Amino acid sequence: MNNIHAIILAAGKGTRMNSSKPKVLQTLSDNTLLGHVLVQAKAISQKVHVVYGFGGDQVQQTINDDSINWVEQVEQLGTGHAVAQAMPHIEDDSISLVLYGDVPLIQPQTLGQLINAAEDSGIALLSVILNNPTGYGRIVRHNNIIQAIVEQKDANAEQLEICEANTGIMAVNTQLLKKYLAALNSDNAQGELYLTDIIESAVNDKKIVESIITTDEFEVAGVNDKVQLAELERVFQKNQAVSFMQQGLTLKDPARFDCRGTLNFDQDCEIDINVVIEGDVSLGNNTTIAANCNIKNTKIGNNVVIFPNSVIEDALIGNGASIGPFARIRPEANIGENAKIGNFVEVKKSTIGKGSKVSHLSYVGDTTIGSEVNIGAGVITCNYDGVNKHQTTIEDGAFVGSDTQLIAPVTIGKNATIGAGSTITKDVPDNQLSLSRSKQTTLKNWQRPTKK
Ligand code: UD1
Ligand code: CA
């Protein structure tokens, strides 16, 4: 395939979104609607032209792609007028592929077939068979040969019975397209320049209009409101989940799994319900993620268990580690091999060494913990003095008693033991017990107050 120009129509306002953002900037999975179309368009064409109108600055800024030729359509005078705006930028000896910024799930195989058909015949359209084609242009055939597309508002009773609908997506030899666009008029029910009228011109020009017919209505579905946006999000997620399962991932319920990004996994990984994956996430062998976890931009090793309700972002989780339930692993956390992070523990910008345990209710921030360290319940690294962050170091084999505050900067030596309830403000030597605790006293004659 050579010299393909994709023209993406994106001038519509999208009033029904009730949003400050132009319709094509609404998000599906981790990309804008237009972004999804751009991925397909760029994969199959040499040049992409986007016809914009409402909110053009916002669209261009958000998409931020210098390879795109942005073409303004000042007034929305119809789909034919929109395509015509791009024509001065496209040489005759090419194929123009018309796409829509609000039709995000179009598949590359379908576009490939459509372009092949257009290379043979000069003009090819993509149609879809619908149970209820109301609102769509209908494909009028005679002896199975396409004669015209008739818009809903221009159709007679017989034509309204036709179930083959125009998706709007087509591929046309650019020289022909220019000729047919120049002949358009707005003599129709909507007073617009219909792109669809080029079909009749081609037929009059003795061309055979080829068609690719899809039965996947979602592949060609446009998004006009938040209800349709959610519908296509589900379709996207389901298709992705099916592909993951085919590659060997166990999903307890594909209808309750969302991946808004890239997920890589080795063998025998299992994901329970209501897990949301974002950004770039990878799982080693035999790793399981329990229900209600949110994991973003994280590399997780082999044989890891993530217990329910854990939130992990920008982290590394080593082989054999266990996380949660209810753990929060924040950016730049590096959890070592066989380490354990238990319930209600928050770890930020810290390294936890091999086999170390932080099992309950702790905050570990800006800290380096060696191997085989035990952090008792409720230990807090006091890393922030209100202005600056300070570092805590806990060396191999140390034992930090429960409810200890470590006032950073501070270092706890190798195999040191810290008594529970201590407030540690000075470095602690290796191998010894250190504690800071007021002596326990008992007041012998003390009595509880009584009610007056
Ligand atoms: C169009 C087709 C119809 C097809 C349907 C599929 C025409 C005349 N009709 O109808 O056969 O079944 O799509 O959804 O083409 N746009 C512009 N500039 C304009 C007009 C439209 O950029 O001046 C863009 C819109 O933003 C939208 C797309 O083109 O993304 C389709 O326009 P719309 O007016 O919705 O066409 P339909 O009436 O749905
Ligand atoms: Ca439409």
Side-chain angles (χ1 to χ4, degrees):
M1 271 174 262
N2 243 318
N3 209 9
I4 311 295
H5 287 256
I7 304 164
I8 304 177
L9 304 194
K13 195 175 192 173
T15 317
R16 279 177 283 166
M17 284 291 172
N18 283 316
S19 167
S20 64
K21 281 191 281 187
K23 171 161 79 171
V24 293
L25 293 186
Q26 302 292 326
T27 304
L28 185 141
S29 183
D30 63 341
N31 205 348
T32 58
L33 294 176
L34 179 55
H36 284 278
V37 183
L38 282 169
V39 169
Q40 304 305 340
K42 290 176 85 165
I44 208 158
S45 68
Q46 275 64 50
K47 185 76 192 170
V48 178
H49 311 262
V50 177
V51 180
Y52 69 93
F54 292 100
D57 290 346
Q58 208 181 336
V59 175
Q60 289 177 49
Q61 266 169 33
T62 306
I63 300 293
N64 188 24
D65 182 338
D66 291 339
S67 76
I68 295 170
N69 178 33
W70 295 94
V71 183
E72 186 174 14
Q73 185 192 25
V74 179
E75 259 187 299
Q76 273 68 64
L77 302 177
T79 49
H81 180 257
V83 171
Q85 305 311 300
M87 288 300 107
H89 307 279
I90 304 181
E91 58 270 30
D92 289 4
D93 182 20
S94 65
I95 298 275
S96 288
L97 171 66
V98 179
L99 299 170
Y100 296 81
D102 59 355
V103 179
L105 301 188
I106 186 68
Q107 296 300 304
Q109 308 87 290
T110 308
L111 295 180
Q113 289 169 3
L114 192 67
I115 287 168
N116 282 339
E119 279 174 337
D120 293 343
S121 70
I123 178 164
L125 60 81
L126 178 63
S127 66
V128 59
I129 309 295
L130 296 174
N131 286 330
N132 177 11
T134 307
Y136 287 83
R138 308 297 208 284
I139 310 293
V140 179
R141 292 178 185 260
H142 184 250
N143 292 332
N144 208 34
I145 307 285
I146 294 175
Q147 303 298 317
I149 301 174
V150 181
E151 291 304 294
Q152 167 91 20
K153 287 180 180 154
D154 301 284
N156 62 35
E158 193 190 338
Q159 290 163 339
L160 289 175
E161 296 296 308
I162 299 170
C163 282
E164 185 181 7
N166 175 36
T167 66
I169 295 169
M170 48 177 99
V172 190
N173 169 287
T174 306
Q175 191 177 2
L176 294 179
L177 181 59
K178 286 179 180 175
K179 184 164 85 174
Y180 303 151
L181 286 174
L184 291 183
N185 65 62
S186 53
D187 187 11
N188 53 54
Q190 300 181 79
E192 289 181 0
L193 296 171
Y194 288 170
L195 175 63
T196 45
D197 283 351
I198 71 166
I199 301 301
E200 222 173 324
S201 297
V203 171
N204 293 336
D205 202 15
K206 303 276 180 286
K207 302 285 179 217
I208 301 286
V209 178
E210 288 290 341
S211 60
I212 303 296
I213 306 174
T214 176
T215 48
D216 179 358
E217 60 174 300
F218 297 114
E219 164 174 26
V220 294
V223 178
N224 294 306
D225 58 29
K226 299 280 168 77
V227 176
Q228 291 170 339
L229 186 62
E231 247 166 43
L232 287 202
E233 176 78 36
R234 248 321 84 212
V235 171
F236 176 92
Q237 290 299 342
K238 193 192 132 219
N239 292 345
Q240 187 174 242
V242 166
S243 141
F244 288 156
M245 291 187 290
Q246 283 164 345
Q247 293 166 60
L249 181 67
T250 299
L251 290 173
K252 289 296 184 189
D253 182 359
R256 287 179 289 174
F257 167 75
D258 290 79
C259 172
R260 305 173 194 142
T262 333
L263 176 65
N264 286 294
F265 45 86
D266 290 340
Q267 276 191 314
D268 300 316
C269 291
E270 232 180 80
I271 299 184
D272 213 326
I273 60 167
N274 296 334
V275 168
V276 178
I277 303 286
E278 293 176 274
D280 238 322
V281 172
S282 67
L283 314 177
N285 283 304
N286 201 39
T287 278
T288 66
I289 302 172
N292 307 323
C293 290
N294 189 335
I295 303 177
K296 188 172 181 179
N297 295 323
T298 291
K299 189 172 181 321
I300 300 177
N302 303 323
N303 304 309
V304 171
V305 184
I306 314 283
F307 288 100
N309 301 296
S310 295
V311 177
I312 305 177
E313 182 179 356
D314 290 326
L316 281 171
I317 313 288
N319 296 338
S322 105
I323 308 290
F326 295 98
R328 176 154 185 228
I329 311 295
R330 291 175 51 198
E332 293 180 61
N334 183 347
I335 313 299
E337 237 178 275
N338 299 321
K340 181 186 171 198
I341 306 298
N343 41 238
F344 305 107
V345 171
E346 175 178 345
V347 180
K348 185 218 83 173
K349 212 174 183 179
S350 294
T351 300
I352 312 293
K354 207 170 160 177
S356 290
K357 295 188 176 78
V358 189
S359 297
H360 329 268
L361 301 150
S362 290
Y363 172 64
V364 177
D366 303 297
T367 298
T368 305
I369 294 182
S371 61
E372 306 299 334
V373 166
N374 188 84
I375 306 288
V379 170
I380 309 292
T381 56
C382 306
N383 59 328
Y384 187 47
D385 58 15
V387 184
N388 295 304
K389 299 279 167 68
H390 301 281
Q391 210 51 42
T392 299
T393 304
I394 303 174
E395 294 179 352
D396 296 351
F399 178 102
V400 180
S402 294
D403 195 26
T404 291
Q405 303 106 56
L406 303 169
I407 315 293
V410 71
T411 296
I412 312 302
K414 256 191 178 171
N415 297 315
T417 301
I418 294 177
S422 295
T423 300
I424 300 296
T425 54
K426 292 183 293 209
D427 288 356
V428 166
D430 296 354
N431 301 315
Q432 294 177 43
L433 171 67
S434 299
L435 68 168
S436 80
R437 203 192 271 167
S438 50
K439 281 228 160 57
Q440 182 169 331
T441 54
T442 302
L443 304 184
K444 276 192 179 140
N445 299 321
W446 182 84
Q447 283 187 328
R448 278 191 195 171
T450 52
K451 196 159 182 112
K452 282 177 186 150

